[in-house]
Amino acid sequence: MENKNYKFIVFFLAIGYLIDFYDLSLFVVVRVPVLRSLGVPEEDFMRVGAYMFNAQALGLVLGGILSGIWSDKFGRLSAVRFGILLYSIAIIINAFTTDIQIFTAMRFVAALGLAGEFAASITLLSEILPAEKRGFVSGVVYSFGIVGGMLAAYIGSAFHWQTMFLIGGIAGIIILLARISFADSILFKNIKQQKNIARGNIKQLLANKTSVFKILALTFSNIPFWFMAFFINFAPEIAKQVGMKETVNQSISLAFYFIGSFLGSHLFPYIAKLTASRRLAVLSALILMVCAVSLFGLGSSLNANSFYFILCLIGLASGYPGIFMVLAVESFGTNQRSTAASMISSLSRASLVGINALVPWLAYVYSNMWYASMISVAVFFFFGIISLYFLKETNNTSLDFFEGNIAKNN
């Protein structure tokens, strides 16, 4: 073991991701009261909500790429420290603004700060942990994020939305202070001393056909996660459009989704260990996704409880990002590891913008939300399994290697 205090580092990185997930989930929970407070007419809730979600998604994309480059050039920890500071400032401003444009802009800035948190954390942990512990610890970190989502879901209706935003901002500052004493991995410190090896160089990364292929394949394998998030972001609207007679509560929907995700965050690392394959663990999640989404075909026969059960199954299938991110960071050398992992995360997150447009458009064309869902899930499942087929298995891979040629100078 390179770092004897790895459990302490795991804990505070996990708490940081808890704050990350808390924020991203919080807006889903308080979306309606926020829009009401900002004076948005009820008939425009979905349109303005999608606009804010898209601004947040764009912030995650850009922030992820910038955070990844920063992480490889200057250190994993400096990236997450700056990110959580930026997030904390933005969400505190969010709590006090009454303007739609400023609120949306701060959602973008908050996402910009949070974007690289998970990728940088898993990169650091993968570099300080022995290979056999990476999958399990990734599940622990991701499950902490889910706990953050659960907190947002369970207490989101108990306090005013402005109070909830302030809690997130203050908690972010506390986590920032707790991380000051952390140090980067020996692997990163060693590669940083070699001045003739380029670090965080997107041009070099994209000039390598093998690297580009891995980035695209891993991205397509992760897009299904964001497709499943669509059903949670708009759960009440989807329940109505599939023909349900009962009303669905957004907070309860999110809670059931997170219960499933929490179980999945531990299930898929176990599958990866049992099969000695990260890829098979991700494949099992994609298969479960198809099964869960197909249940919306029950339509008007669904009641609130059965709808929540479906969301729990979708949550279970959505529990694979921890083991997936380990697969991503193990696929690239130390000098480009965080850049590549963050780029993959950012590109897959960007797909949410298209998904937010694609599924409603298909529902409009076919006048049926279930048809739209099944067409979409078939497309994402197809690209996901094809991508997994061509990816190299990384189980128990050594991370002591670099991308590109030594001749390059940083």
Side-chain angles (χ1 to χ4, degrees):
M1 172 59 58
E2 170 189 314
N3 195 316
K4 294 180 180 180
N5 297 318
Y6 78 93
K7 292 182 180 179
F8 181 75
I9 296 175
V10 168
F11 175 75
F12 276 101
L13 289 177
I15 291 294
Y17 192 54
L18 182 152
I19 300 300
D20 182 330
F21 225 102
Y22 169 89
D23 175 76
L24 297 179
S25 305
L26 180 60
F27 183 58
V28 176
V29 175
V30 301
R31 174 174 62 95
V32 172
V34 165
L35 294 176
R36 283 189 181 132
S37 295
L38 295 176
V40 178
E42 190 168 343
E43 60 270 20
D44 290 335
F45 277 6
M46 192 167 187
R47 179 183 62 82
V48 177
Y51 168 65
M52 290 178 174
F53 278 124
N54 288 344
Q56 182 173 279
L58 290 174
L60 290 169
V61 173
L62 180 59
I65 294 172
L66 294 176
S67 175
I69 295 171
W70 182 296
S71 178
D72 279 333
K73 284 186 176 294
F74 307 110
R76 286 67 166 109
L77 284 168
S78 65
V80 296
R81 285 170 186 153
F82 179 75
I84 203 162
L85 175 62
L86 189 63
Y87 150 76
S88 298
I89 294 171
I91 194 173
I92 289 173
I93 293 174
N94 258 152
F96 293 103
T97 185
T98 56
D99 182 83
I100 294 175
Q101 299 303 325
I102 294 177
F103 186 92
T104 303
M106 288 303 101
R107 293 311 303 153
F108 172 82
V109 174
L112 199 70
L114 289 176
E117 176 75 30
F118 188 51
S121 295
I122 296 300
T123 299
L124 173 62
L125 292 174
S126 295
E127 290 175 348
I128 68 174
L129 291 170
E132 65 272 13
K133 290 187 177 181
R134 293 174 197 154
F136 170 74
V137 171
S138 72
V140 170
V141 173
Y142 186 68
S143 68
F144 265 71
I146 295 165
V147 170
M150 288 179 174
L151 287 174
Y154 282 117
I155 66 176
S157 58
F159 298 96
H160 192 276
W161 66 267
Q162 290 175 308
T163 302
M164 299 291 292
F165 274 56
L166 284 173
I167 290 172
I170 294 170
I173 293 173
I174 293 172
I175 293 300
L176 172 64
L177 296 175
R179 290 176 173 179
I180 290 177
S181 62
F182 292 0
D184 278 307
S185 68
I186 296 298
L187 283 177
F188 176 77
K189 290 178 179 178
N190 288 342
I191 206 80
K192 190 176 181 180
Q193 291 176 354
Q194 301 182 51
K195 303 299 182 183
N196 53 352
I197 296 178
R199 304 189 315 276
N201 190 320
I202 288 185
K203 183 178 179 181
Q204 182 198 65
L205 192 65
L206 298 181
N208 187 309
K209 292 182 180 179
T210 301
S211 296
V212 171
F213 176 81
K214 287 189 291 185
I215 288 171
L216 291 176
L218 286 161
T219 298
F220 279 113
S221 300
N222 198 34
I223 285 177
F225 170 81
W226 293 100
F227 167 66
M228 289 184 275
F230 172 84
F231 294 97
I232 309 306
N233 291 342
F234 299 104
E237 292 90 343
I238 289 169
K240 185 178 180 179
Q241 291 184 35
V242 297
M244 270 188 61
K245 297 179 177 63
E246 294 183 38
T247 301
V248 168
N249 181 277
Q250 181 72 70
S251 294
I252 296 176
S253 297
L254 198 60
F256 273 90
Y257 169 78
F258 282 134
I259 290 170
S261 293
F262 186 85
L263 297 173
S265 68
H266 296 284
L267 172 65
F268 296 115
Y270 178 76
I271 292 175
K273 181 179 179 180
L274 194 66
T275 61
S277 172
R278 319 289 198 203
R279 295 186 305 159
L280 287 178
V282 176
L283 176 61
S284 63
L286 300 187
I287 293 172
L288 181 57
M289 171 190 71
V290 175
C291 296
V293 173
S294 66
L295 293 176
F296 285 125
L298 295 173
S300 59
S301 63
L302 290 171
N303 57 32
N305 289 334
S306 56
F307 187 85
Y308 294 141
F309 175 73
I310 294 173
L311 295 183
C312 187
L313 288 180
I314 291 176
L316 184 65
S318 299
Y320 76 90
I323 196 67
F324 170 82
M325 190 53 66
V326 173
L327 172 64
V329 301
E330 289 176 339
S331 298
F332 296 89
T334 306
N335 59 320
Q336 300 280 29
R337 184 166 293 134
S338 192
T339 301
S342 294
M343 183 179 294
I344 291 161
S345 179
S346 295
L347 290 174
S348 57
R349 277 169 162 168
S351 68
L352 188 59
V353 177
I355 292 167
N356 284 343
L358 174 65
V359 181
W361 178 75
L362 288 173
Y364 172 78
V365 170
Y366 293 97
S367 301
N368 189 304
M369 176 57 75
W370 184 69
Y371 286 174
S373 301
M374 291 310 297
I375 292 170
S376 301
V377 79
V379 171
F380 295 130
F381 178 74
F382 173 77
F383 282 108
I385 59 173
I386 292 297
S387 299
L388 287 172
Y389 177 79
F390 287 105
L391 282 172
K392 180 181 177 182
E393 184 56 61
T394 64
N395 192 55
N396 291 332
T397 297
S398 169
L399 298 185
D400 192 10
F401 67 98
F402 63 90
E403 301 280 334
N405 302 314
I406 293 181
K408 291 255 182 181
N409 197 335
N410 201 38

